[in-house]
Amino acid sequence: MKQLLRVLTWRNMLVLSVAVNFSLILRILNGDGGNSRDRPAYVSTWPVVSTTGTGSSSLSSRSCNYSEIEEDDDIIINLKLGDPTVYERYWQEMGEVTTVVIHGWQSLSYFSDNNNNLCWFLEPELGKEIVRVHKLVGNAETQDHFIVVGTGSTQLYQAALYALSPHDDSGPINVVSAAPYYCSYPLITDCLKSGLYRWGGDAKAYKEEDPYIELVTSPNNPDGLLRHAVVNRNEGILIHDLAYYWPQYTPITTKANHDVMLFTVSKSTGHAGMRIGWALVKDRETARKMTEYIELNTIGVSKDSQLRAAKVLKVVSDSCGNEMAKSFFEHSYDAMSERWKLLKQAAENTKRFTVPYFTSQRCNFLGKVFESQPAFAYLKCEEGIVDCERFLRENKKILTKSGKYFGDEESYVRISMLDRDTNFNIFLHRISSSYNANVQVHVGCDDDLGRN
Amino acid sequence: MKQLLRVLTWRNMLVLSVAVNFSLILRILNGDGGNSRDRPAYVSTWPVVSTTGTGSSSLSSRSCNYSEIEEDDDIIINLKLGDPTVYERYWQEMGEVTTVVIHGWQSLSYFSDNNNNLCWFLEPELGKEIVRVHKLVGNAETQDHFIVVGTGSTQLYQAALYALSPHDDSGPINVVSAAPYYCSYPLITDCLKSGLYRWGGDAKAYKEEDPYIELVTSPNNPDGLLRHAVVNRNEGILIHDLAYYWPQYTPITTKANHDVMLFTVSKSTGHAGMRIGWALVKDRETARKMTEYIELNTIGVSKDSQLRAAKVLKVVSDSCGNEMAKSFFEHSYDAMSERWKLLKQAAENTKRFTVPYFTSQRCNFLGKVFESQPAFAYLKCEEGIVDCERFLRENKKILTKSGKYFGDEESYVRISMLDRDTNFNIFLHRISSSYNANVQVHVGCDDDLGRN
């Protein structure tokens, strides 16, 4: 038997070796510069995070010797965007509980069967589940708020600008946000050269006397810090982007209760491909005008994705009442917690970069004290590295978003903490080790566009 | 037995009578002005169309005496919008063949698994089925065109404006279309007071020397006529809106082959609630910029609805190869044909209104000669009625869209031919008979917004 195993092992190694040679020859022939999406899965002998749905995220402790890692040296790790694929494994392990079946005769009408709702295209089931999950988590007040559904919170941001800007001849209103701000805000605001609104830059530097709209992203994208309005003048109109105000990212300390609050499934449950977001809006006329914008822009929002989002939110809420198993938020909290633990450890070991400091607070929902563990890590390169994005791209083959896109210095970069385990583990190894790439990395044309 | 039936009948009538009285009392107490969506189904003893999927649309010929109709006098028939619910019955009768099952772990990423496509959020299956259905029907050239998917063709219209407008300081480009034009074009174009483009009005009256964008909707919304560009200058940029260029509405005489062509499932298969449209675009840079707009506007398009649209288009194409049963287009052609036959008959009988004249042409796809039978009827009131919309609203309780919204006279109205059988039959009866409403009809705030 032992002999047989030995023979098998040698035969296996031979097959493996031939396969590797063949693959290398093909790569050389194709002149492949490295595209992460075409690559085989990464295999590591190094301690890794593994995001599972039923148990906790697991951290193997076999070894802490960084040099033992086996990785594909050519692979480019793209952490520029906040693609929330970390949640895939959880939903796979949850099986069919969130499966939806949609028949061919559904969703023919533009309208939802929701006569009494100001937002005529909102599916009633989604409206119900939005209220339920907020009540359960305690992160936002839904009472006395209208719900406006959007094709992601990006569309709702534009709907809010349309609704809150003066439509008279007073000229475009300034839209400001404290730097570092979400990199897409300036691009979205100015892309059509609107006469209703224009990007006004860093809210901290805003000195004009005119009315303005201030965006308050809390927790903030890119740095994860909790935010309040900074201009604080009477004529100020506020939009609160609360996409990340969920217990896997930050302690839920108060029930947010603002005039316009934006949320999205992309960051709460991880379903970015659905393109579903929602706004909680106090003022009836603002909600009506936001609905009007979405009617003009896309004549409503996909009914299919609304039905799916309703189902997913229902499963999330149901999981919170299950005392036998971890809830969705507990699982996601654990996953983020382990990733941040490893990242902080790496930062401490290498001294080459620092991560933001977060104070500990008690989370009313999870019932424990913890520090924020945001969806993005806002790293600062140290040791005299001026252009952190370039350093990581050229030396580590890691694509990140430079601080300059967030109205900040180039020594900062934003890194997604929501990628699949494989990519996160390679990222962690590369920034911790002496790994040094020799190949010039090509950056695609989407560099100037800032997906959430 | 006969005795028993007689007793039952009398008892049934008593129950019915009491129920009717109760309902009338409730209505009077509630001061109900009549909302069509709350009403019970309409029951008619008059000849009606009945849109079935398996057989042809059926026209009962029991009686042609209009006075025999039984209808709910209070019901308001809203035919202002092109809600394509006429297709519901067909898809119901097709059963589970278009049912989609979507699992909880699908559509998490922003990206589609489609590395080579310029439109990074297009689902490959949808792209494949778009090409297939166009090849089969022969209504548009797909070769040497890029496909850009959008949240309905409304978003694609805006994406095309963004892509085709100069982004330098030359000021907004004029966007024109020959009147009567689709009523939403001016509203969408001007709603953000863009510095890139502005509504320039009727293309036939356009005399400026500057570059311009001309919208060519063919068949046209509202009047169903086939269109060509009318300004015809060298600097002209064209967008072809071909939402209605399908064989149920008009003979397919040529394979359209333009620079930018817009389509939507709302009008081709009737799935308006999906919010899926697509553009066929010749120029790579235009397609790239349209993709960029959709990225800025909504970070892609619902993956769930794309998957459903792919399935529905597949079933439509499959039905065309089935020699044992009518195809989707044959069925839909029959349904539209019967509605138009009845409408023309009514117009001829009453003399109070006229419908546009369409020449007969041979349809390459259906292999027969017929006149256009558009999704909207563009009626002209005669007999000195100046405001046709008001006349129909006040006297017939039929809500329509006035010609003034299409850059035309108030003696015209646009009427949806795509509503459910019940509503279409009441509409037909009311305009044909001496029916005269006495109650003032309230028009909601959506009157100024022009859904497709």
Side-chain angles (χ1 to χ4, degrees), chain A residues 154-316:
Chain A
T154 301
Q155 188 183 37
L156 289 161
Y157 165 60
Q158 291 156 88
L161 291 186
Y162 172 83
L164 298 168
S165 301
H167 284 237
D168 54 20
D169 290 332
S170 59
I173 190 168
N174 281 304
V175 181
V176 298
S177 189
Y181 42 70
Y182 172 36
C183 53
S184 288
Y185 283 151
L187 297 171
I188 297 170
T189 310
D190 283 344
C191 71
L192 298 180
K193 297 187 179 178
S194 173
L196 299 180
Y197 47 78
R198 70 171 165 220
W199 182 246
D202 186 358
K204 286 176 289 189
Y206 187 71
K207 300 286 175 233
E208 293 184 35
E209 293 300 316
D210 300 328
Y212 62 93
I213 294 174
E214 182 175 350
L215 297 163
V216 183
T217 308
S218 182
N220 191 38
N221 175 359
D223 62 11
L225 293 170
L226 293 171
R227 284 282 187 91
H228 297 283
V230 301
V231 185
N232 291 323
R233 268 198 257 119
N234 283 340
E235 325 86 339
I237 301 164
L238 301 180
I239 299 173
H240 280 78
D241 180 348
L242 305 183
Y244 303 95
Y245 193 46
W246 295 98
Q248 64 266 49
Y249 304 124
T250 195
I252 303 301
T253 54
T254 53
K255 190 182 272 193
N257 189 1
H258 307 288
D259 290 345
V260 179
M261 300 184 277
L262 308 183
F263 291 92
T264 166
V265 291
S266 304
K267 299 297 149 47
S268 52
T269 72
H271 290 86
M274 278 188 193
R275 312 308 312 118
I276 294 292
W278 63 93
L280 303 175
V281 184
K282 264 189 193 164
D283 176 51
R284 185 185 181 85
E285 181 56 14
T286 305
R288 193 195 64 72
K289 287 184 86 171
M290 287 179 73
T291 302
E292 182 177 290
Y293 173 80
I294 294 171
E295 180 169 336
L296 285 165
N297 190 217
T298 54
I299 322 185
V301 174
S302 161
K303 305 239 172 304
D304 312 312
S305 288
Q306 287 193 63
L307 294 175
R308 274 198 79 203
K311 184 106 178 210
V312 168
L313 287 178
K314 183 181 183 304
V315 170
V316 165

Side-chain angles (χ1 to χ4, degrees), chain A residues 357-386:
Chain A
Y357 171 77
F358 303 104
T359 53
S360 289
Q361 286 186 284
R362 190 178 182 281
C363 175
N364 295 337
F365 176 74
L366 292 176
K368 57 184 168 191
V369 173
F370 62 94
E371 291 170 19
S372 286
Q373 40 194 44
F376 293 106
Y378 199 54
L379 298 191
K380 185 179 193 310
C381 274
E382 305 290 348
E383 298 182 345
I385 298 168
V386 180

Side-chain angles (χ1 to χ4, degrees), chain A residues 35 37-38 81-88 91-96 98-112 114-115 120 151-152 154-155 158 162 166-169 182 184 187-188 191-197 266-267 269-275 288 292-293 295-306 308 312 420 445-446 449-452, chain B residues 35 37-38 81-88 91-96 98-112 114-115 120 151-152 154-155 158 162 166-169 182 184 187-188 191-197 266-267 269-275 288 292-293 295-306 308 312 420 445-446 449-452:
Chain A
N35 181 328
R37 287 193 241 158
D38 294 328
L81 316 169
D83 209 25
T85 43
V86 65
Y87 293 103
E88 253 170 21
W91 292 114
Q92 276 163 358
E93 291 185 14
M94 290 301 283
E96 300 300 332
T98 44
T99 299
V100 293
V101 176
I102 310 179
H103 302 285
W105 58 88
Q106 285 181 257
S107 318
L108 268 86
S109 176
Y110 288 102
F111 297 93
S112 289
N114 198 356
N115 290 325
W120 57 267
T151 311
T154 301
Q155 188 183 37
Q158 291 156 88
Y162 172 83
H167 284 237
D168 54 20
D169 290 332
Y182 172 36
S184 288
L187 297 171
I188 297 170
C191 71
L192 298 180
K193 297 187 179 178
S194 173
L196 299 180
Y197 47 78
S266 304
K267 299 297 149 47
T269 72
H271 290 86
M274 278 188 193
R275 312 308 312 118
R288 193 195 64 72
E292 182 177 290
Y293 173 80
E295 180 169 336
L296 285 165
N297 190 217
T298 54
I299 322 185
V301 174
S302 161
K303 305 239 172 304
D304 312 312
S305 288
Q306 287 193 63
R308 274 198 79 203
V312 168
R420 294 183 181 94
C445 63
D446 65 346
L449 289 170
R451 287 173 210 125
N452 213 338
Chain B
N35 181 328
R37 286 192 243 160
D38 294 326
L81 317 168
D83 209 25
T85 43
V86 65
Y87 294 102
E88 254 170 20
W91 292 114
Q92 276 163 358
E93 291 187 14
M94 290 301 284
E96 300 300 332
T98 44
T99 299
V100 293
V101 176
I102 310 179
H103 302 285
W105 59 89
Q106 285 181 258
S107 318
L108 269 88
S109 175
Y110 289 102
F111 297 93
S112 289
N114 198 355
N115 290 325
W120 56 267
T151 310
T154 301
Q155 187 182 37
Q158 291 156 89
Y162 173 83
H167 283 239
D168 54 21
D169 291 331
Y182 173 36
S184 287
L187 297 170
I188 298 170
C191 71
L192 298 180
K193 296 186 180 180
S194 173
L196 299 180
Y197 47 78
S266 305
K267 298 297 150 47
T269 72
H271 290 85
M274 278 188 192
R275 313 306 313 120
R288 193 195 65 73
E292 183 178 289
Y293 173 81
E295 180 168 338
L296 285 165
N297 189 216
T298 54
I299 322 185
V301 174
S302 161
K303 304 239 174 302
D304 312 312
S305 287
Q306 286 193 63
R308 272 197 81 204
V312 168
R420 294 184 181 94
C445 64
D446 65 346
L449 289 171
R451 286 175 211 124
N452 211 338

Side-chain angles (χ1 to χ4, degrees), chain B residues 26 48 109 120 125 149 151 243 247-248 306 326 406 419 422 434:
Chain B
L26 269 183
V48 293
S109 175
W120 56 267
E125 199 58 28
V149 66
T151 310
Q248 65 265 50
Q306 286 193 63
K326 276 188 183 179
F406 306 97
D419 213 309
T422 316
S434 57

